[in-house]
Amino acid sequence: VVAAGPFPAIPLVVIAGGHRMRMIPQAAFDAHLDAQRRRVSISPLGSLVVAERSGRFPHLTEPDVVIDAILSVVGSSRSVTRTT
């Protein structure tokens, strides 16, 4: 991983479920969201989308959120490609 160098400045969207399931302690849920925020920070063009009604599977419970994120990355990628 170190040999690969820094992560490129490309669009990146991380989707996290914002609904904590009852069996997950609050501290573990908070740690998970913090980890997702750190993942986003690897790209200067990164963003975190929290699917508020979803737990572990946003693609099943809120597919529109996932579709919007994909379209956002595609649109941003086109902009980045044109400027580089």
Side-chain angles (χ1 to χ4, degrees):
V1 172
V2 173
F7 195 84
I10 59 173
L12 168 69
V13 176
V14 174
I15 302 170
H19 176 73
R20 182 181 64 87
M21 295 174 283
R22 286 185 286 237
M23 68 278 221
I24 304 296
Q26 186 65 49
F29 182 73
D30 293 342
H32 171 71
L33 286 179
D34 286 341
Q36 301 295 35
R37 285 184 196 96
R38 285 192 305 277
R39 282 186 183 91
V40 166
S41 71
I42 66 171
S43 173
L45 302 176
S47 64
L48 174 65
V49 173
V50 178
E52 296 295 338
R53 293 179 287 122
S54 297
R56 192 167 170 179
F57 303 108
H59 60 290
L60 298 177
T61 53
E62 293 182 78
D64 289 345
V65 170
V66 177
I67 292 167
D68 289 346
I70 292 168
L71 293 174
S72 170
V73 168
V74 170
S76 296
S77 296
R78 289 179 177 153
S79 296
V80 169
T81 302
R82 282 189 209 120
T83 60
T84 57

Coordinates of all heavy atoms in Angstrom, one line a residue:
V1 N 0.8 -1.2 0.0 CA 0.0 0.0 0.0 C 0.9 1.2 0.0 O 0.6 2.2 -0.7 CB -1.0 0.0 1.2 CG1 -1.7 1.3 1.3 CG2 -1.9 -1.2 1.1
V2 N 1.9 1.2 0.8 CA 2.8 2.4 0.8 C 3.5 2.6 -0.5 O 3.6 3.8 -1.0 CB 3.9 2.2 1.9 CG1 4.9 3.3 1.9 CG2 3.3 2.1 3.3
A3 N 3.8 1.6 -1.2 CA 4.5 1.7 -2.5 C 3.5 2.3 -3.6 O 4.0 2.9 -4.6 CB 5.0 0.4 -3.0
A4 N 2.2 2.2 -3.4 CA 1.3 2.8 -4.3 C 1.2 4.3 -4.3 O 0.8 4.9 -5.2 CB -0.1 2.2 -4.0
G5 N 1.7 4.9 -3.3 CA 1.7 6.4 -3.2 C 0.4 6.9 -2.6 O -0.5 6.1 -2.3
P6 N 0.2 8.2 -2.7 CA -1.0 8.8 -2.1 C -2.2 8.5 -3.0 O -2.1 8.3 -4.2 CB -0.7 10.3 -2.1 CG 0.4 10.5 -3.0 CD 1.2 9.2 -3.1
F7 N -3.3 8.5 -2.4 CA -4.6 8.3 -3.1 C -4.8 9.4 -4.1 O -4.6 10.6 -3.7 CB -5.7 8.2 -2.1 CG -7.0 7.6 -2.7 CD1 -7.2 6.2 -2.8 CD2 -8.0 8.4 -3.1 CE1 -8.4 5.7 -3.3 CE2 -9.2 7.9 -3.7 CZ -9.4 6.5 -3.7
P8 N -5.2 9.2 -5.3 CA -5.4 10.3 -6.2 C -6.6 11.2 -5.9 O -7.5 10.8 -5.2 CB -5.6 9.6 -7.6 CG -6.1 8.3 -7.2 CD -5.5 7.9 -5.9
A9 N -6.6 12.4 -6.4 CA -7.7 13.3 -6.2 C -8.8 13.0 -7.1 O -9.0 13.6 -8.2 CB -7.2 14.8 -6.4
I10 N -9.5 12.0 -6.8 CA -10.6 11.5 -7.6 C -11.9 11.5 -6.7 O -11.8 11.5 -5.5 CB -10.4 10.1 -8.2 CG1 -10.2 9.1 -7.1 CG2 -9.2 10.1 -9.2 CD1 -10.1 7.7 -7.5
P11 N -13.1 11.7 -7.4 CA -14.3 11.6 -6.6 C -14.5 10.3 -5.9 O -14.2 9.2 -6.4 CB -15.4 11.8 -7.7 CG -14.7 12.4 -8.9 CD -13.3 11.9 -8.8
L12 N -14.9 10.4 -4.7 CA -15.1 9.3 -3.8 C -16.3 9.5 -2.9 O -16.4 10.6 -2.3 CB -13.9 9.0 -2.9 CG -14.0 8.0 -1.8 CD1 -14.2 6.6 -2.3 CD2 -12.8 8.1 -0.8
V13 N -17.3 8.6 -2.9 CA -18.4 8.7 -2.0 C -18.5 7.5 -1.2 O -18.4 6.3 -1.7 CB -19.8 8.9 -2.8 CG1 -20.9 8.9 -1.9 CG2 -19.7 10.2 -3.6
V14 N -18.6 7.6 0.1 CA -18.8 6.5 1.0 C -20.2 6.7 1.6 O -20.6 7.7 2.0 CB -17.7 6.6 2.2 CG1 -18.1 5.5 3.2 CG2 -16.3 6.4 1.7
I15 N -20.9 5.6 1.5 CA -22.3 5.6 2.0 C -22.3 4.8 3.3 O -21.9 3.6 3.3 CB -23.3 5.0 1.0 CG1 -23.2 5.7 -0.3 CG2 -24.7 4.9 1.5 CD1 -23.9 5.1 -1.5
A16 N -22.9 5.4 4.3 CA -23.0 4.7 5.6 C -24.4 4.7 6.1 O -25.1 5.7 5.9 CB -22.1 5.4 6.7
G17 N -24.8 3.6 6.7 CA -26.1 3.5 7.2 C -26.2 4.4 8.5 O -25.3 4.3 9.3
G18 N -27.2 5.2 8.6 CA -27.4 6.1 9.8 C -28.3 5.5 10.9 O -28.5 6.2 11.9
H19 N -28.9 4.4 10.6 CA -29.8 3.8 11.6 C -29.1 2.7 12.4 O -28.6 1.7 11.9 CB -31.0 3.2 10.9 CG -31.9 2.5 11.8 ND1 -32.8 3.2 12.7 CD2 -32.2 1.2 12.0 CE1 -33.5 2.3 13.4 NE2 -33.1 1.1 13.0
R20 N -28.9 3.0 13.7 CA -28.2 2.0 14.6 C -29.2 0.9 15.0 O -30.3 1.1 15.5 CB -27.7 2.7 15.8 CG -26.9 1.8 16.8 CD -26.5 2.5 18.0 NE -27.5 3.0 18.8 CZ -28.2 2.3 19.8 NH1 -27.8 1.0 20.0 NH2 -29.1 2.8 20.5
M21 N -28.8 -0.3 14.7 CA -29.6 -1.5 15.1 C -29.5 -1.6 16.6 O -28.5 -1.3 17.2 CB -29.2 -2.7 14.4 CG -29.4 -2.6 12.9 SD -28.8 -4.0 11.9 CE -27.0 -3.6 11.9
R22 N -30.6 -2.1 17.3 CA -30.6 -2.2 18.7 C -29.5 -3.0 19.3 O -29.0 -2.7 20.4 CB -31.9 -2.8 19.2 CG -33.1 -1.9 19.0 CD -34.3 -2.5 19.6 NE -34.8 -3.5 18.7 CZ -36.0 -3.5 18.1 NH1 -36.9 -2.6 18.5 NH2 -36.4 -4.5 17.3
M23 N -29.0 -4.1 18.6 CA -28.0 -4.9 19.2 C -26.6 -4.3 19.1 O -25.7 -4.9 19.7 CB -28.0 -6.3 18.6 CG -27.6 -6.4 17.2 SD -29.0 -5.9 16.2 CE -29.0 -7.0 14.9
I24 N -26.5 -3.2 18.4 CA -25.2 -2.6 18.3 C -25.0 -1.5 19.4 O -25.8 -0.5 19.4 CB -25.0 -1.9 16.9 CG1 -25.2 -2.9 15.8 CG2 -23.7 -1.2 16.7 CD1 -24.2 -4.0 15.7
P25 N -24.0 -1.6 20.2 CA -23.8 -0.5 21.2 C -23.5 0.8 20.6 O -22.9 0.9 19.5 CB -22.6 -1.0 22.0 CG -22.5 -2.5 21.7 CD -23.0 -2.7 20.3
Q26 N -24.0 1.9 21.2 CA -23.8 3.2 20.6 C -22.3 3.5 20.4 O -22.0 4.1 19.3 CB -24.4 4.3 21.6 CG -24.4 5.7 21.0 CD -25.3 5.9 19.8 OE1 -26.5 5.4 19.9 NE2 -24.8 6.4 18.7
A27 N -21.5 3.1 21.3 CA -20.0 3.4 21.1 C -19.5 2.7 19.8 O -18.7 3.3 19.1 CB -19.2 3.0 22.3
A28 N -19.9 1.5 19.5 CA -19.5 0.8 18.3 C -20.1 1.5 17.1 O -19.3 1.6 16.1 CB -20.0 -0.7 18.4
F29 N -21.3 1.9 17.1 CA -21.9 2.6 16.0 C -21.2 3.9 15.7 O -20.8 4.2 14.6 CB -23.4 2.9 16.3 CG -24.1 3.5 15.2 CD1 -24.4 2.8 14.0 CD2 -24.5 4.9 15.3 CE1 -25.1 3.5 13.0 CE2 -25.1 5.5 14.2 CZ -25.5 4.8 13.1
D30 N -20.9 4.7 16.8 CA -20.1 5.9 16.6 C -18.7 5.7 16.0 O -18.3 6.4 15.2 CB -20.0 6.7 18.0 CG -21.3 7.1 18.5 OD1 -22.3 7.2 17.7 OD2 -21.4 7.4 19.7
A31 N -18.1 4.6 16.5 CA -16.7 4.3 16.0 C -16.8 3.9 14.5 O -15.9 4.3 13.7 CB -16.1 3.1 16.8
H32 N -17.9 3.2 14.1 CA -18.1 2.9 12.7 C -18.2 4.1 11.8 O -17.6 4.2 10.8 CB -19.3 2.0 12.6 CG -19.7 1.7 11.2 ND1 -18.9 0.9 10.3 CD2 -20.7 2.2 10.4 CE1 -19.5 0.9 9.1 NE2 -20.6 1.6 9.2
L33 N -19.0 5.1 12.3 CA -19.2 6.3 11.5 C -17.9 7.1 11.4 O -17.6 7.7 10.4 CB -20.3 7.1 12.1 CG -21.8 6.6 11.8 CD1 -22.8 7.5 12.5 CD2 -22.0 6.5 10.4
D34 N -17.2 7.1 12.5 CA -15.9 7.8 12.5 C -14.9 7.1 11.5 O -14.2 7.8 10.8 CB -15.2 7.8 13.9 CG -15.9 8.7 14.8 OD1 -16.6 9.7 14.4 OD2 -15.7 8.6 16.1
A35 N -14.9 5.8 11.4 CA -14.1 5.1 10.4 C -14.5 5.4 9.0 O -13.7 5.6 8.1 CB -14.2 3.6 10.7
Q36 N -15.8 5.6 8.8 CA -16.3 6.0 7.5 C -15.8 7.4 7.1 O -15.4 7.6 6.0 CB -17.8 5.9 7.4 CG -18.4 4.5 7.7 CD -18.0 3.5 6.6 OE1 -16.9 3.5 6.1 NE2 -18.9 2.5 6.4
R37 N -15.8 8.3 8.1 CA -15.4 9.6 7.8 C -13.9 9.6 7.5 O -13.4 10.4 6.6 CB -15.6 10.5 9.1 CG -17.0 10.9 9.2 CD -17.2 11.9 10.4 NE -18.6 11.9 10.8 CZ -19.2 11.2 11.8 NH1 -18.5 10.4 12.5 NH2 -20.5 11.3 12.0
R38 N -13.1 8.8 8.1 CA -11.7 8.7 7.8 C -11.5 8.1 6.4 O -10.6 8.6 5.7 CB -10.9 7.8 8.9 CG -10.7 8.5 10.2 CD -9.8 7.8 11.1 NE -10.1 6.4 11.4 CZ -11.0 6.0 12.3 NH1 -11.7 6.9 13.0 NH2 -11.3 4.7 12.5
R39 N -12.3 7.2 6.0 CA -12.2 6.6 4.7 C -12.4 7.7 3.6 O -11.7 7.8 2.6 CB -13.2 5.5 4.4 CG -12.8 4.2 5.0 CD -13.8 3.1 4.7 NE -13.3 1.9 5.4 CZ -13.8 1.6 6.6 NH1 -14.7 2.3 7.2 NH2 -13.3 0.5 7.2
V40 N -13.3 8.6 3.8 CA -13.6 9.7 2.9 C -12.5 10.6 2.8 O -12.2 11.2 1.7 CB -14.9 10.4 3.4 CG1 -15.1 11.7 2.7 CG2 -16.1 9.6 3.2
S41 N -11.7 10.8 3.9 CA -10.7 11.8 3.9 C -9.5 11.4 3.0 O -8.6 12.2 2.8 CB -10.2 12.1 5.3 OG -9.5 11.0 5.9
I42 N -9.4 10.2 2.5 CA -8.3 9.8 1.7 C -8.3 10.6 0.4 O -7.2 10.6 -0.3 CB -8.2 8.3 1.5 CG1 -9.3 7.8 0.6 CG2 -8.0 7.6 2.8 CD1 -9.2 6.3 0.2
S43 N -9.4 11.1 0.0 CA -9.5 11.8 -1.3 C -9.9 13.2 -1.0 O -10.9 13.4 -0.3 CB -10.5 11.2 -2.3 OG -10.6 12.0 -3.4
P44 N -9.3 14.2 -1.6 CA -9.7 15.6 -1.4 C -11.1 15.8 -2.0 O -11.8 16.8 -1.7 CB -8.6 16.5 -2.0 CG -7.9 15.6 -3.0 CD -8.1 14.2 -2.4
L45 N -11.5 14.9 -2.8 CA -12.9 15.0 -3.4 C -13.8 14.0 -2.8 O -14.8 13.7 -3.4 CB -12.8 14.8 -5.0 CG -11.8 15.7 -5.7 CD1 -11.7 15.3 -7.2 CD2 -12.3 17.2 -5.6
G46 N -13.5 13.6 -1.6 CA -14.4 12.6 -0.9 C -15.5 13.2 -0.2 O -15.5 14.4 0.3
S47 N -16.6 12.4 -0.1 CA -17.8 12.9 0.7 C -18.4 11.7 1.3 O -18.4 10.6 0.8 CB -18.8 13.7 -0.2 OG -19.3 12.8 -1.2
L48 N -19.0 11.9 2.5 CA -19.8 10.9 3.2 C -21.3 11.2 3.0 O -21.7 12.3 3.3 CB -19.4 10.9 4.7 CG -20.2 10.0 5.6 CD1 -19.9 8.5 5.2 CD2 -19.8 10.2 7.0
V49 N -22.0 10.1 2.7 CA -23.4 10.2 2.6 C -24.0 9.2 3.7 O -23.6 8.1 3.7 CB -24.0 9.8 1.2 CG1 -25.5 9.7 1.2 CG2 -23.5 10.7 0.1
V50 N -24.8 9.8 4.5 CA -25.4 8.9 5.6 C -26.8 8.6 5.1 O -27.7 9.5 5.0 CB -25.4 9.6 6.9 CG1 -26.0 8.7 8.0 CG2 -23.9 9.9 7.4
A51 N -27.1 7.3 4.9 CA -28.4 6.9 4.6 C -29.2 6.7 5.9 O -29.0 5.7 6.6 CB -28.4 5.6 3.8
E52 N -29.9 7.7 6.3 CA -30.5 7.8 7.6 C -31.4 6.7 8.0 O -31.5 6.3 9.2 CB -31.2 9.2 7.8 CG -30.3 10.4 7.7 CD -29.3 10.5 8.9 OE1 -29.5 9.9 9.9 OE2 -28.3 11.1 8.7
R53 N -32.2 6.1 7.1 CA -33.1 5.1 7.4 C -32.5 3.7 7.3 O -33.2 2.7 7.5 CB -34.4 5.2 6.5 CG -35.2 6.4 6.8 CD -36.4 6.6 5.9 NE -35.9 6.9 4.5 CZ -36.2 6.2 3.4 NH1 -36.9 5.1 3.5 NH2 -35.8 6.6 2.2
S54 N -31.2 3.6 6.9 CA -30.6 2.3 6.6 C -29.7 1.9 7.8 O -29.1 2.7 8.4 CB -29.8 2.4 5.3 OG -30.6 2.6 4.3
G55 N -29.6 0.6 8.0 CA -28.7 0.0 8.9 C -27.4 -0.4 8.1 O -26.7 0.4 7.5
R56 N -27.3 -1.7 7.9 CA -26.1 -2.2 7.3 C -26.1 -2.3 5.8 O -25.1 -2.4 5.1 CB -25.8 -3.6 7.9 CG -24.5 -4.1 7.6 CD -24.2 -5.3 8.4 NE -23.0 -6.0 7.9 CZ -22.5 -7.0 8.4 NH1 -23.0 -7.6 9.4 NH2 -21.4 -7.5 7.8
F57 N -27.3 -2.2 5.2 CA -27.5 -2.5 3.8 C -28.2 -1.3 3.1 O -29.3 -1.5 2.6 CB -28.2 -3.8 3.5 CG -27.5 -5.0 4.2 CD1 -28.1 -5.6 5.3 CD2 -26.3 -5.5 3.7 CE1 -27.5 -6.7 5.9 CE2 -25.7 -6.5 4.2 CZ -26.3 -7.2 5.3
P58 N -27.6 -0.1 3.0 CA -28.3 1.0 2.3 C -28.7 0.7 0.9 O -29.7 1.2 0.4 CB -27.2 2.1 2.4 CG -26.3 1.7 3.4 CD -26.3 0.2 3.5
H59 N -28.0 -0.1 0.2 CA -28.3 -0.5 -1.2 C -29.6 -1.2 -1.3 O -30.3 -1.1 -2.3 CB -27.2 -1.3 -1.9 CG -26.9 -2.6 -1.2 ND1 -26.3 -2.6 0.0 CD2 -27.1 -3.8 -1.6 CE1 -26.1 -3.9 0.4 NE2 -26.6 -4.6 -0.6
L60 N -30.0 -1.9 -0.2 CA -31.3 -2.6 -0.2 C -32.5 -1.7 0.3 O -33.6 -1.7 -0.2 CB -31.2 -3.8 0.6 CG -30.3 -4.9 0.1 CD1 -30.2 -6.1 1.1 CD2 -30.6 -5.4 -1.3
T61 N -32.2 -0.9 1.4 CA -33.2 -0.1 2.0 C -33.4 1.2 1.5 O -34.5 1.8 1.5 CB -32.9 0.0 3.6 OG1 -31.6 0.5 3.8 CG2 -33.1 -1.4 4.3
E62 N -32.4 1.8 0.9 CA -32.5 3.2 0.3 C -31.7 3.2 -1.0 O -30.7 3.9 -1.2 CB -31.9 4.2 1.2 CG -32.7 4.4 2.5 CD -32.2 5.5 3.4 OE1 -32.4 6.7 3.1 OE2 -31.5 5.1 4.4
P63 N -32.2 2.4 -2.0 CA -31.4 2.4 -3.3 C -31.3 3.7 -4.0 O -30.3 4.0 -4.7 CB -32.2 1.4 -4.1 CG -33.6 1.3 -3.5 CD -33.4 1.6 -2.0
D64 N -32.2 4.6 -3.7 CA -32.1 5.9 -4.4 C -30.9 6.7 -3.9 O -30.3 7.5 -4.6 CB -33.4 6.8 -4.1 CG -34.6 6.2 -4.9 OD1 -34.4 5.5 -5.8 OD2 -35.7 6.6 -4.6
V65 N -30.6 6.5 -2.6 CA -29.4 7.2 -2.1 C -28.1 6.6 -2.8 O -27.2 7.4 -3.1 CB -29.3 6.9 -0.5 CG1 -27.9 7.4 0.0 CG2 -30.4 7.6 0.2
V66 N -28.1 5.4 -3.0 CA -26.9 4.8 -3.7 C -26.9 5.2 -5.2 O -25.8 5.6 -5.7 CB -27.0 3.2 -3.6 CG1 -25.8 2.6 -4.4 CG2 -27.0 2.8 -2.2
I67 N -28.0 5.2 -5.8 CA -28.1 5.7 -7.2 C -27.6 7.2 -7.3 O -26.8 7.5 -8.2 CB -29.5 5.5 -7.8 CG1 -29.8 4.1 -7.9 CG2 -29.7 6.3 -9.1 CD1 -31.3 3.8 -8.2
D68 N -28.1 8.0 -6.4 CA -27.7 9.4 -6.4 C -26.2 9.5 -6.2 O -25.5 10.4 -6.8 CB -28.4 10.2 -5.3 CG -29.9 10.4 -5.6 OD1 -30.3 10.2 -6.8 OD2 -30.6 10.8 -4.7
A69 N -25.6 8.7 -5.3 CA -24.2 8.8 -5.1 C -23.4 8.3 -6.3 O -22.4 9.0 -6.7 CB -23.8 7.9 -3.9
I70 N -23.9 7.3 -7.0 CA -23.2 6.9 -8.2 C -23.2 8.0 -9.3 O -22.2 8.3 -9.9 CB -23.9 5.6 -8.8 CG1 -23.6 4.4 -7.8 CG2 -23.4 5.2 -10.2 CD1 -24.4 3.2 -8.1
L71 N -24.4 8.6 -9.5 CA -24.5 9.6 -10.4 C -23.6 10.8 -10.1 O -23.1 11.5 -11.0 CB -26.0 10.1 -10.6 CG -26.9 9.0 -11.2 CD1 -28.4 9.5 -11.1 CD2 -26.5 8.7 -12.6
S72 N -23.5 11.1 -8.8 CA -22.7 12.2 -8.4 C -21.2 11.9 -8.7 O -20.5 12.8 -9.2 CB -22.8 12.4 -6.8 OG -21.8 13.2 -6.3
V73 N -20.8 10.7 -8.5 CA -19.4 10.3 -8.8 C -19.1 10.4 -10.3 O -18.1 10.9 -10.7 CB -19.0 8.9 -8.2 CG1 -17.7 8.4 -8.8 CG2 -19.0 9.0 -6.7
V74 N -20.1 9.9 -11.1 CA -19.9 9.9 -12.5 C -19.8 11.4 -13.0 O -18.9 11.7 -13.8 CB -21.1 9.2 -13.2 CG1 -21.1 9.4 -14.7 CG2 -21.0 7.7 -12.9
G75 N -20.7 12.2 -12.5 CA -20.7 13.6 -12.9 C -19.4 14.3 -12.5 O -18.8 15.1 -13.2
S76 N -19.0 14.0 -11.2 CA -17.7 14.6 -10.8 C -16.5 14.1 -11.5 O -15.6 14.9 -11.8 CB -17.5 14.3 -9.3 OG -18.6 14.9 -8.5
S77 N -16.6 12.9 -11.9 CA -15.5 12.3 -12.7 C -15.3 12.9 -14.0 O -14.2 13.2 -14.5 CB -15.7 10.8 -12.9 OG -15.7 10.1 -11.6
R78 N -16.4 13.2 -14.6 CA -16.4 13.9 -15.9 C -15.8 15.3 -15.8 O -15.0 15.7 -16.6 CB -17.8 14.0 -16.5 CG -18.3 12.7 -17.0 CD -19.7 12.8 -17.6 NE -20.1 11.4 -18.0 CZ -21.3 11.0 -18.1 NH1 -22.3 11.8 -17.8 NH2 -21.6 9.8 -18.6
S79 N -16.1 16.0 -14.7 CA -15.6 17.3 -14.5 C -14.1 17.3 -14.2 O -13.3 18.1 -14.7 CB -16.3 18.0 -13.3 OG -17.6 18.2 -13.5
V80 N -13.6 16.3 -13.4 CA -12.2 16.2 -13.1 C -11.5 15.8 -14.4 O -10.4 16.3 -14.6 CB -12.0 15.1 -12.0 CG1 -10.5 14.7 -11.9 CG2 -12.6 15.5 -10.7
T81 N -12.0 15.0 -15.2 CA -11.4 14.5 -16.5 C -11.2 15.7 -17.4 O -10.1 15.9 -18.0 CB -12.2 13.4 -17.2 OG1 -12.3 12.3 -16.3 CG2 -11.5 13.0 -18.4
R82 N -12.2 16.6 -17.5 CA -12.1 17.8 -18.4 C -11.0 18.8 -17.9 O -10.5 19.4 -18.7 CB -13.5 18.5 -18.4 CG -14.4 17.7 -19.3 CD -15.7 18.6 -19.5 NE -16.8 17.7 -19.7 CZ -17.9 17.6 -19.0 NH1 -18.0 18.4 -18.0 NH2 -18.8 16.7 -19.3
T83 N -10.8 18.9 -16.6 CA -9.9 19.9 -16.1 C -8.5 19.4 -16.0 O -7.6 20.2 -15.8 CB -10.4 20.4 -14.7 OG1 -10.4 19.3 -13.8 CG2 -11.7 21.1 -14.8
T84 N -8.2 18.1 -16.2 CA -6.9 17.6 -16.0 C -6.3 17.3 -17.4 O -6.9 17.3 -18.4 CB -6.8 16.3 -15.2 OG1 -7.7 15.3 -15.7 CG2 -7.2 16.7 -13.7

